[in-house]
Amino acid sequence: MKKIIIVVFSMAAALSLNSAVRRPMLENFTNHTCSFCVQYEPNMTQFIDNHAESLTVIRYHVNWPSSADPFYLDNPEDNNGRKSYYGVTGVPDNYMDGQIHVSYPPTPQALENAYVGAMSEPCYVEINLSGTYNSTTKEGNIIAQIIAEEEPGPGTYFLQISAVSEHVNSGSGYFSSFAQPMRKMYPLYGGSYVFFSDTFPDTVTVNMSCQLDTTWWHYDENEIFFAAWLQSGVLPAKHIYQSSVINIGDLVPVYVEETPASDPNYNELLMIYPNPVSTCATIYFTCSAETGTVIDILDVSGRIVKSLTPAEGEEKIEVDLSDLNTGVYLVKIKLQNRTESRVLNIVR
């Protein structure tokens, strides 16, 4: 009997080494004039609040009962694309991890059962999100690092990335306010295919440009977050293997410096090549380095992780980045009374 117990414990320990913490994803289809959606909204709100730290939520707004839904009008292509993907024919409709259909009505017990069912499945994938955002141009760059300890499941895979508003404090139709409306999917609702090697563990990095639109209905930049999820690419399977979120405030800010019109000789002070980079990059500066010139590389928290001092008269310096993790960094240089910065993306 003792030998059996030891074997069982050893197997459990081995499995846990290759498993990740699953973050289930709830996709809700709704409409601003859906009376049933409003009726069961308290159930949805309570359920989501109970699992706020371990659940990704996106609401798609479809074109019925009313095609005047403001979120649908902002983005009919992506909303219709996800509606067709799941074959949704009525609202409210809900899917947990793409495969557990929470049929009408979405009672608290039905939602909880779906969540427990999703959490009970083994998970072998992690998704780490980072990126940059320019509040002037409303352009973002999301870097998704997908780490697969084992093959996630049968079939091919694609990564979806979406901009979502956490809360819209304005009403329309039967709703006094809205939670988690999908704003835009990148590049489109079809996502980007992810190819793992035949050998696991394997890491794949996806770099996606994301443009926000200030004309979205009741757009509030402070409420935006980005959701990413890895989903089965072989129909009819729609299994979501993992999801992740990052708030817009957690992206590295990028600032655009205006070119002085009165200075015809003004040009970029700092350039990095290649960028994105894996291990080694060259930093170019258009003016020769002076005594005391320092180039700092900072992580997303603002901590200096590497400091470089080019020799006087140099116009470039090579840097080994192999000791830094995959992610987004900021490179800053002060030279000839000018300070400039560039975003550095390290991908492996």
Side-chain angles (χ1 to χ4, degrees), residues 288-322:
S288 299
E290 307 164 321
T291 300
T293 297
V294 175
I295 300 173
D296 290 328
I297 301 178
L298 300 85
D299 63 15
V300 293
S301 68
R303 180 176 61 94
I304 296 176
V305 296
K306 196 178 285 287
S307 190
L308 311 170
T309 304
E312 184 176 356
E314 282 189 339
E315 296 183 352
K316 67 178 182 178
I317 187 170
E318 295 184 358
V319 55
D320 181 7
L321 304 167
S322 59

Side-chain angles (χ1 to χ4, degrees), residues 8 17 49 51 58 75 96 109 182 204 211 222 245 342:
V8 172
L17 291 176
D49 288 346
H51 303 287
I58 294 184
N75 190 345
M96 184 75 71
Q109 191 59 55
M182 185 274 296
V204 176
Q211 178 71 57
N222 295 324
V245 298
R342 289 288 180 270

Side-chain angles (χ1 to χ4, degrees), residues 20 24 30 34 68 103 155 170 178 187 199 210 215 239 251 255 319:
T30 185
C34 168
S103 57
S170 183
F178 296 90
T199 304
C210 300
T215 66
H239 199 151
L251 300 177
Y255 303 102
V319 55

Side-chain angles (χ1 to χ4, degrees), residues 165-303:
S165 288
E166 182 65 43
H167 185 254
V168 175
N169 191 25
S170 183
S172 179
Y174 294 144
F175 285 79
S176 59
S177 63
F178 296 90
Q180 298 93 25
M182 185 274 296
R183 293 298 199 167
K184 181 75 179 74
M185 301 186 74
Y186 306 96
L188 286 172
Y189 60 86
S192 303
Y193 273 97
V194 174
F195 298 94
F196 293 109
S197 67
D198 294 332
T199 304
F200 291 91
D202 191 20
T203 299
V204 176
T205 301
V206 176
N207 196 317
M208 183 62 62
S209 298
C210 300
Q211 178 71 57
L212 303 185
D213 188 345
T214 58
T215 66
W216 288 336
W217 191 72
H218 285 274
Y219 170 84
D220 184 347
E221 188 169 297
N222 295 324
E223 293 288 336
I224 295 291
F225 69 89
F226 292 91
W229 62 100
L230 186 71
Q231 192 159 22
S232 172
V234 177
L235 297 177
K238 300 179 177 71
H239 199 151
I240 295 177
Y241 299 108
Q242 183 65 291
S243 71
S244 184
V245 298
I246 187 170
N247 293 322
I248 194 169
D250 292 328
L251 300 177
V252 176
V254 177
Y255 303 102
V256 175
E257 299 182 12
E258 295 184 359
T259 302
S262 59
D263 185 0
N265 297 317
Y266 182 91
N267 55 14
E268 288 188 342
L269 174 62
L270 180 66
M271 293 175 287
I272 306 169
Y273 183 83
N275 191 15
V277 61
S278 175
T279 55
C280 294
T282 303
I283 300 175
Y284 298 87
F285 21 99
T286 56
C287 300
S288 299
E290 307 164 321
T291 300
T293 297
V294 175
I295 300 173
D296 290 328
I297 301 178
L298 300 85
D299 63 15
V300 293
S301 68
R303 180 176 61 94

Side-chain angles (χ1 to χ4, degrees), residues 20-173:
V21 177
R22 179 181 291 279
R23 184 184 178 99
M25 180 167 173
L26 175 65
E27 295 174 276
N28 168 244
F29 293 84
T30 185
N31 184 273
H32 76 145
T33 61
C34 168
S35 59
F36 298 112
C37 301
V38 173
Q39 179 182 350
Y40 287 96
E41 187 63 18
N43 291 346
M44 297 288 291
T45 300
Q46 185 61 57
F47 167 74
I48 293 169
D49 288 346
N50 290 343
H51 303 287
E53 300 301 319
S54 59
L55 180 70
T56 300
V57 183
I58 294 184
R59 317 281 192 107
Y60 306 106
H61 287 247
V62 300
N63 57 331
W64 20 254
S66 170
S67 60
D69 185 292
F71 298 106
Y72 171 77
L73 292 175
D74 276 346
N75 190 345
E77 185 173 15
D78 288 339
N79 282 302
N80 278 335
R82 293 304 278 182
K83 178 187 72 174
S84 299
Y85 177 72
Y86 282 108
V88 172
T89 58
V91 290
D93 206 357
N94 304 275
Y95 287 86
M96 184 75 71
D97 271 357
Q99 58 163 351
I100 304 175
H101 189 201
V102 185
S103 57
Y104 182 83
T107 63
Q109 191 59 55
L111 291 166
E112 190 64 29
N113 288 344
Y115 176 82
V116 172
M119 289 294 288
S120 66
E121 292 188 8
C123 180
Y124 305 112
V125 179
E126 293 181 14
I127 302 178
N128 299 321
L129 298 181
S130 60
T132 60
Y133 180 67
N134 188 315
S135 60
T136 301
T137 63
K138 310 304 177 188
E139 294 174 316
N141 184 61
I142 304 299
I143 299 176
Q145 183 190 52
I146 308 166
I147 305 171
E149 294 295 332
E150 299 182 19
E151 186 174 5
T156 57
Y157 317 96
F158 62 88
L159 183 75
Q160 294 280 9
I161 296 178
S162 178
V164 186
S165 288
E166 182 65 43
H167 185 254
V168 175
N169 191 25
S170 183
S172 179

